[in-house]
């Protein structure tokens, strides 16, 4: 029997977002309410499935439910893997009466979401993020994509989930490094929209980032409860932005703060760095850019770097990279326009530059190069 389902979060989205410990065991009634289908296809990876697929599979009829898994990692978020999954769905007999459950981190959310967006010209997907980063970022917003050799997320579609179901209890199974990676997006949400939320996250960081807090059942339960409240706050901030700009034509671009540099670093490191770690560095570099352009007060990048440090995340560019390489890699970013790369830049904690209504500003390569040079350890 499935667990009782508490109500969704009060956020301005076209689909419900659930966030409570034990939500994974209450998945079936949510799916039945928002995306009833004759078949259920669960898409996960070889790391997450052994940990969390069984309680999901047990809630659905075995004869019409199938688990599909791929190897873990950003390197699997490709058009080839998209093709393999869509072929596997066809071979299984999936049709328009199929609902996809994306069970995993951001890679699974993006890839399974893109499969759902394109299979039979679009079928329902329920996002079930299992990493902190996916809970506060990738699972909410309806953006789906795969990577190409030329950059991240260059091939994709907007496809809203039928629901997002978050169970903070699953974060117990995450390595400390991946929990910390998710904190980067929470810091970002405070910077772009809510100074009070930023301060609340800042106060919680020593507990959330500490490995010892997750090792004992009593302290882990307390941290999960605190984290659930902060996740709900992050989702509220992102939902408010997405509701104003569903297609990333204006305000939604503020969510890209830190990401242009982050994507360049990831590409230069061949995706061996966790996305959240790259975002942490990217926020510090892009805050430097804002200072150099006179948009932000001196020292903003230091305040962000201190938050990143408290989260146990890197704040300097790895020595293996070069400034020229990072700058060149930014030019493959999907936010480039008219030969110049546009950046979402902060004016301070809780306030972003409007860019005359575009919410991003074009920045010359030499300005970026100067900020990157200054950001090596």
């Amino acid at each position: 029997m499935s667990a009782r389902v508490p109500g969704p979060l009060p956020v301005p989205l076209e689909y419900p977002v659930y966030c409570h410990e034990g939500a994974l065991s209450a998945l079936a009634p949510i799916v039945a309410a928002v995306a009833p289908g004759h078949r259920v296809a669960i898409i996960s990876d070889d790391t997450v499935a052994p940990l969390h697929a069984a309680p999901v599979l047990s809630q659905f009829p075995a004869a019409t439910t199938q688990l599909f898994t791929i190897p873990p990692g950003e390197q699997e978020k490709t058009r080839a893997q998209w093709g393999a999954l869509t072929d596997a769905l066809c071979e299984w007999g999936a049709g328009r009466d199929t609902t996809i459950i994306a069970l995993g981190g951001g890679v699974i959310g993006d890839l399974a979401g893109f499969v759902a967006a394109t299979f039979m010209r679009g079928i329902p997907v329920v996002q079930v993020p299992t990493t902190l980063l996916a809970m506060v970022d990738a699972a909410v917003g309806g953006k789906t994509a795969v990577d190409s050799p030329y950059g991240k997320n260059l091939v994709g579609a907007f496809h809203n989930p039928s629901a997002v179901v978050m169970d903070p209890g699953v974060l117990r199974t995450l390595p400390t490094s991946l929990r910390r990676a998710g904190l980067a997006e929470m810091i970002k949400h405070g910077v772009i929209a809510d100074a009070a939320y930023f301060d609340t996250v800042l106060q919680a960081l020593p507990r959330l980032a500490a490995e010892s807090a997750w090792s004992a059942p009593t302290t882990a339960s307390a941290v999960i409860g605190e984290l659930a409240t902060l996740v709900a706050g992050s989702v509220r901030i992102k939902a408010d932005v997405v509701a104003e700009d569903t297609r990333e034509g204006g305000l939604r671009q503020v969510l890209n703060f830190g990401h242009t540099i982050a994507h360049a670093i990831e590409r230069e490191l061949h995706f061996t760095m966790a996305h959240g770690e790259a975002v942490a560095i990217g926020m510090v570099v892009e805050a430097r850019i804002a200072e150099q352009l006179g948009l932000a007060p001196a020292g903003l990048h230091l305040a962000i770097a201190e938050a990143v440090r408290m989260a146990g995340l890197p704040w300097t560019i790895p020595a293996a990279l070069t400034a020229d390489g990072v700058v060149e890699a930014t030019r493959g970013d999907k936010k480039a326009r008219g030969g110049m790369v546009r950046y979402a830049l902060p004016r301070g904690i809780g306030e972003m530059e409007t860019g005359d209504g575009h919410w991003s500003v074009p920045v010359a390569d030499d300005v970026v190069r100067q900020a990157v040079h200054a950001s090596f350890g």
Side-chain angles (χ1 to χ4, degrees):
M1 180 177 293
S2 296
R4 183 180 66 85
V5 184
L9 299 176
V11 292
L13 295 171
E14 299 174 3
Y15 45 90
V17 179
Y18 298 86
C19 180
H20 61 273
E21 191 168 6
L24 203 66
S25 300
L27 190 56
I30 295 173
V31 173
V34 301
H38 175 64
R39 292 176 180 266
V40 173
I42 302 165
I43 297 179
S44 190
D45 68 39
D46 295 333
T47 297
V48 173
L51 296 171
H52 303 302
V56 176
L57 284 164
S58 67
Q59 297 177 55
F60 299 95
T64 54
T65 304
Q66 183 67 40
L67 173 65
F68 300 87
T69 63
I70 65 169
E74 183 76 29
Q75 71 279 359
E76 298 298 324
K77 204 175 80 175
T78 63
R79 285 169 288 184
Q81 196 60 264
W82 165 83
L85 284 168
T86 52
D87 286 349
L89 286 171
C90 289
E91 184 176 355
W92 177 53
R96 289 183 176 176
D97 60 352
T98 299
T99 294
I100 288 177
I101 295 176
L103 179 67
V107 169
I108 288 295
D110 283 353
L111 178 59
F114 188 48
V115 170
T118 52
F119 188 76
M120 300 285 175
R121 295 192 176 94
I123 60 175
V125 60
V126 174
Q127 292 281 356
V128 185
T130 59
T131 67
L132 179 57
L133 183 64
M135 289 180 185
V136 298
D137 182 35
V140 176
K143 292 203 296 186
T144 74
V146 293
D147 302 337
S148 90
Y150 301 97
K152 285 192 64 172
N153 301 325
L154 295 184
V155 180
F158 289 95
H159 187 64
N160 278 342
S162 297
V164 180
V165 182
M166 305 177 182
D167 185 343
V170 305
L171 300 178
R172 286 185 174 94
T173 65
L174 278 186
T176 300
S177 60
L178 290 185
R179 283 195 294 264
R180 290 173 176 171
L183 297 174
E185 288 288 341
M186 297 168 68
I187 293 168
K188 182 198 79 175
H189 287 145
V191 174
I192 69 171
D194 193 328
Y197 178 77
F198 179 86
D199 288 341
T200 301
V201 171
L202 208 62
Q203 293 170 19
L205 284 176
R207 295 181 296 280
L208 301 181
E211 186 172 0
S212 59
W214 293 84
S215 59
T218 52
T219 54
S221 293
V223 169
I224 287 170
E226 183 175 26
L227 193 54
T229 301
L230 291 172
V231 167
S234 257
V235 171
R236 171 188 56 81
I237 291 169
K238 183 167 185 180
D240 286 345
V241 172
V242 170
E244 288 290 322
D245 179 17
T246 59
R247 295 277 174 163
E248 205 173 32
L251 177 63
R252 188 166 178 169
Q253 293 184 62
V254 301
L255 295 170
N256 292 323
F257 170 56
H259 281 60
T260 301
I261 293 296
H263 288 170
I265 291 171
E266 288 177 281
R267 182 179 172 186
E268 287 296 281
L269 291 176
H270 307 288
F271 302 107
T272 57
M273 174 177 279
H275 177 64
E277 294 178 347
V279 169
I281 299 169
M283 288 191 292
V284 176
V285 176
E286 293 182 21
R288 281 186 185 272
I289 293 173
E291 292 177 32
Q292 290 171 201
L293 294 177
L295 300 176
L300 177 63
H301 81 279
L302 295 176
I304 295 173
E306 176 60 12
V308 165
R309 184 196 66 77
M310 292 174 65
L313 293 166
W315 63 92
T316 59
I317 294 176
L321 302 183
T322 66
D324 286 342
V326 172
V327 172
E328 181 60 29
T330 65
R331 304 191 67 78
D333 191 88
K334 61 182 180 298
K335 294 177 284 297
R337 298 287 189 278
M340 292 186 73
V341 180
R342 300 186 70 96
Y343 289 78
L345 298 175
R347 282 192 166 274
I349 302 297
E351 181 185 4
M352 295 294 284
E353 165 61 34
T354 63
D356 294 327
H358 298 289
W359 295 97
S360 65
V361 295
V363 181
D365 284 353
D366 61 337
V367 174
V368 178
R369 189 174 290 105
Q370 181 181 346
V372 171
H373 263 303
S375 299
F376 281 88

